[in-house]
Amino acid sequence: MATVESLVAQIQGLSSSAGDLSLLLTHLKQADEFLHNESTRLLPFLEQLDPTLHSLGYLYILEACTSWPVTNDQARRLVLILSRFLTSCVADQIRLAPEKFIAVCKSFKDQVLMLEAPIRGVVPLLEAVKKLRSSEHLTTLHPDFLQLCLLAKCYKTGLSILEDDIFEVDQPRDFYLYCYYGGMICIGQKRFQKALELLHNVVTAPMSSINAIAVEAFKKYVLVSLIYNGQFSTSLPKYTSSAAQRNLKTICQPYIELANTYSIGKISELEPYIQTNREKFDSDNNLGLVKQVVTSMYKRNIQRLTQTYLTLSLQDIANTVQLSSPKEAEMHVLQMIQDGEIYATINQRDGMVRFLEDPEQYKTCEMIEHIDSSIQRIMTLSKKLTAMDELISCDPLYLAKVGRERQRFDFDDFDPVPQKFNI
């Protein structure tokens, strides 16, 4: 009969080569039930193992130790052990048992949340994501990592994985959460264009019935659209699921009405509407975004002035866009110049603003490199889409479905050549 001591000896002796690891994996699978039965006395044995040299065996013992509910005191001890393991384990070994590794990572996330210390989980879970994932693959750990980044307000750390292209997804729910959490992180960093892209993915993703993630994403999608684009189109793309088409606008009616009020372009109508629905926006934790919507209207109205006037006084700008004073108008104009939203100069002596043309001539080395990078990215995407199309066209399930659809129609009854009519 196997003992913990003999299993530890096997782990120490079979962790050096690929062949040994394959044999060790077989032994560990056979001992898995035994390890879970002995879970309460396994922690001291981890001191005999090195998380780098013996990552696979360490993982199996650690997964057994964390498979049961723990107290706060136990969590404090386990978090230290788990942090050390996740940052020092070897990717090639833990990938032999990805389900175990995922279970350990999720237990780690739960424990740092239990201790109300999400920041302690950010770096270890980032290392775990890097070790588990393959190129362009979304793992089930991605949304957990982004959730910790949100709770710890480590937005820049979260951005590090949002820049990667994703073409493979394990579970649809993981994709929803990844895009939703990612959108919120981008909002926190004022990366509104990327936030729109991620939230758009949630809203338009296939779904048989409406879900809470899609509803919350749609609310933020409306607000970010107003902030970044200055408008919101109430018609969703054709590929949006029928469940989303039918329900989202009705459930999120206050946000649709906010967008309609925004489109009028008058602060005098937008602010009273927001004040009336302030409690609703606050309960949705969207009041901060709503306030940015108000700021964006001031900016849009100032941008419209640049299309009409070459020079304008700060007092006239304040009066036209309904700001309280020329000083406030100056602050808005300066911020817009700094953000590259308008091109202008301010004469401090007479309080006049002179609007200028965009100085970009699109002929600098930096701009050429940027354009070339964009072209290369599009070409790579085109190749991937072609490969994916070929793969799907050979898929038996797809071919069977297409065959069933074709039986409903007799295409020989239709003339492919359009008829000519004399008028």
Side-chain angles (χ1 to χ4, degrees), residues 282-301:
D282 197 17
S283 65
D284 290 341
N285 293 319
N286 286 329
L287 188 58
L289 274 178
V290 170
K291 290 178 179 179
Q292 292 185 61
V293 168
V294 176
T295 302
S296 77
M297 176 172 278
Y298 285 120
K299 291 182 178 180
R300 297 294 167 186
N301 289 340

Side-chain angles (χ1 to χ4, degrees), residues 192-320:
F192 293 123
Q193 184 176 8
K194 183 67 175 179
L196 270 180
E197 175 190 325
L198 292 167
L199 295 173
H200 179 270
N201 289 340
V202 181
V203 172
T204 60
M207 63 184 83
S208 57
S209 60
I210 205 70
N211 59 73
I213 300 173
V215 171
E216 296 306 313
F218 184 75
K219 293 174 181 177
K220 289 178 171 57
Y221 182 61
V222 174
L223 297 175
V224 176
S225 294
L226 295 176
I227 294 169
Y228 184 73
N229 294 325
Q231 60 182 354
F232 173 73
S233 175
T234 55
S235 59
L236 294 171
K238 292 182 179 179
Y239 51 82
T240 307
S241 68
S242 56
Q245 295 273 16
R246 288 194 309 268
N247 299 302
L248 283 178
K249 296 174 190 175
T250 304
I251 297 173
C252 306
Q253 190 59 36
Y255 292 84
I256 299 297
E257 292 178 3
L258 174 67
N260 293 335
T261 306
Y262 185 98
S263 64
I264 299 172
K266 295 183 178 179
I267 289 289
S268 58
E269 295 190 26
L270 181 64
E271 287 185 331
Y273 178 81
I274 291 173
Q275 195 59 38
T276 303
N277 295 273
R278 182 186 180 91
E279 187 175 340
K280 168 65 177 172
F281 297 136
D282 197 17
S283 65
D284 290 341
N285 293 319
N286 286 329
L287 188 58
L289 274 178
V290 170
K291 290 178 179 179
Q292 292 185 61
V293 168
V294 176
T295 302
S296 77
M297 176 172 278
Y298 285 120
K299 291 182 178 180
R300 297 294 167 186
N301 289 340
I302 292 174
Q303 283 178 329
R304 291 191 187 99
L305 295 177
T306 67
Q307 301 170 9
T308 307
Y309 300 96
L310 291 176
T311 58
L312 203 61
S313 69
L314 290 170
Q315 182 64 61
D316 288 337
I317 292 176
N319 294 339
T320 305

Side-chain angles (χ1 to χ4, degrees), residues 1-14 24 27-28 31 34-35 41-42 45 48-49 61:
M1 181 178 177
T3 63
V4 180
E5 290 81 1
S6 64
L7 194 61
V8 169
Q10 287 181 328
I11 293 170
Q12 291 171 333
L14 297 174
L24 175 61
H27 290 318
L28 290 171
F34 167 74
L35 287 173
R41 68 184 195 92
L42 290 178
F45 290 95
Q48 303 176 35
L49 300 174
I61 294 177

Side-chain angles (χ1 to χ4, degrees), residues 346-370:
I346 301 176
N347 189 322
Q348 295 288 345
R349 288 182 298 179
D350 55 14
M352 296 297 293
V353 179
R354 181 187 177 193
F355 299 117
L356 308 172
E357 296 291 333
D358 183 354
E360 179 59 65
Q361 299 296 313
Y362 299 95
K363 60 183 181 181
T364 61
C365 293
E366 292 80 4
M367 181 55 65
I368 292 172
E369 289 177 2
H370 175 72

Side-chain angles (χ1 to χ4, degrees), residues 130-147:
K130 291 178 179 178
K131 291 172 181 177
L132 183 64
R133 73 172 298 188
S134 57
S135 178
E136 301 170 345
H137 175 224
L138 179 70
T139 71
T140 191
L141 297 182
H142 277 76
D144 291 336
F145 166 68
L146 292 177
Q147 182 186 10

